[in-house]
Amino acid sequence: QSALTQPASVSGSPGQSITISCTGTSSDVGSYNLVSWYQQHPGKAPKLMIYEGSKRPSGVSNRFSGSKSGNTASLTISGLQAEDESDYYCCSYAGSNTLIFGGGTKLTVL
Amino acid sequence: QVQLVQSGAEVKKPGSSVKVSCKASGGTFSNYGVSWVRQAPGQGLKWMGGIIPIFGTANYAQKFQGRVTVTTDESTSIAYMELSSLRSDDTAVYYCARHWRNSFDFWGQGTLVTVSS
C-alpha cells in the first residue's frame, strides 16, 4: 500500500494563503471522509490540526481548514504566519481497519 | 489533560526484538484505542498498527504484518509495541498516539530505536 501523495514542498509569504494537497485512491481518501492533518515541527511529535476531513480540534486556529474532492483532500492555511512553517502530513482511513499517511509537505514561509 | 509518556531510547542488534511502552495519564486507552507510528530519520510518518476498541482486535499495516505486536494493559493504562527481527532500516523514532474521532489527538514524546551491530 503506497503512501498518499503530497507535494514535497510549498511556500508562501506572510498573510497569503496556501493549499497542500493529499491524493489517494478510491480505496482510501475517495471512499471515506476520514482524512486528518498533522503539523510537525522539527524534533517534536505531530499535532492534530484537522480531523474527519474538515473539523478543527479545540485550540486550532480557524486559519486552518480542510476539504476533499474525489480522491484528493486539501489543507488550506490562510493568513500565513511565520509560526506555520513546519512539516504537514495527511492521514486517511484505508479500509480493513488500517490507516495510511501521506509522504509529508514542508511549508516554508518566505 | 491526557499525557502519553513513552519509554526511553533503545539500542538493539540486528535480528533482535524491541518492546516500547506508552503510559497514559489523565485518561485511558480503553475508550479510545492507540496506534503506533514510526518516523525514520529525515523521513515521513508511517502507521504501523493499533488497537481500536470498536473493532476489538489489533490491526497492522501490511508492511509490518507478522513482525509487530500491539497490546494494551488496561489495569495500568500502558500500551506496548513489540517489533521483532530488527533490521538497520528499523532505526526510527516510534510514537504512540491516541485515537479520537478517526484521528490521533494525543501523541507520546517518541522513542528512538537504533538498530546497529
Side-chain angles (χ1 to χ4, degrees):
Chain A
Q1 199 172 33
S2 300
L4 305 176
T5 300
Q6 297 181 234
S9 63
V10 298
S11 63
S13 299
Q16 287 186 330
S17 294
I18 63 94
T19 296
I20 299 171
S21 61
C22 169
T23 301
T25 69
S26 57
S27 298
D28 39 63
V29 175
S31 286
Y32 311 96
N33 201 21
L34 297 176
V35 173
S36 50
W37 289 89
Y38 302 87
Q39 176 190 67
Q40 186 183 35
H41 289 295
K44 301 293 187 182
K47 175 187 175 184
L48 177 65
M49 306 303 285
I50 296 288
Y51 67 98
E52 293 180 348
S54 60
K55 300 174 183 175
R56 276 188 311 276
S58 173
V60 172
S61 170
N62 60 8
R63 298 186 299 105
F64 291 82
S65 61
S67 62
K68 191 189 89 164
S69 177
N71 295 338
T72 299
S74 298
L75 173 71
T76 297
I77 309 174
S78 59
L80 266 183
Q81 299 178 0
E83 69 213 46
D84 299 332
E85 185 162 294
S86 189
D87 293 326
Y88 291 85
Y89 294 89
C90 61
C91 180
S92 175
Y93 181 71
S96 301
N97 307 332
T98 64
L99 297 116
I100 187 168
F101 278 94
T105 298
K106 181 176 179 60
L107 169 61
T108 300
V109 180
L110 302 170
Chain B
Q1 177 77 345
V2 174
Q3 269 197 308
L4 303 182
V5 179
Q6 298 182 220
S7 49
E10 303 258 15
V11 179
K12 293 291 184 180
K13 299 284 190 192
S16 67
S17 298
V18 67
K19 191 169 186 177
V20 181
S21 67
C22 169
K23 182 170 175 58
S25 59
T28 69
F29 297 118
S30 58
N31 295 327
Y32 297 93
V34 62
S35 271
W36 290 86
V37 176
R38 85 174 186 184
Q39 187 169 36
Q43 303 298 310
L45 303 173
K46 289 200 188 305
W47 182 77
M48 300 178 67
I51 296 179
I52 306 172
I54 59 170
F55 298 130
T57 59
N59 297 280
Y60 305 107
Q62 192 172 5
K63 175 182 171 70
F64 302 101
Q65 195 79 246
R67 281 210 303 145
V68 67
T69 304
V70 174
T71 55
T72 56
D73 182 337
E74 293 186 18
S75 67
T76 57
S77 296
I78 299 177
Y80 299 93
M81 184 283 299
E82 184 168 22
L83 186 62
S84 62
S85 303
L86 289 170
R87 308 184 288 255
S88 58
D89 62 358
D90 291 318
T91 293
V93 174
Y94 290 77
Y95 293 100
C96 61
R98 193 183 77 161
H99 287 256
W100 178 76
R101 301 290 293 269
N102 302 293
S103 64
F104 306 120
D105 61 344
F106 290 100
W107 294 68
Q109 82 277 20
T111 296
L112 175 62
V113 175
T114 302
V115 182
S116 173
S117 54

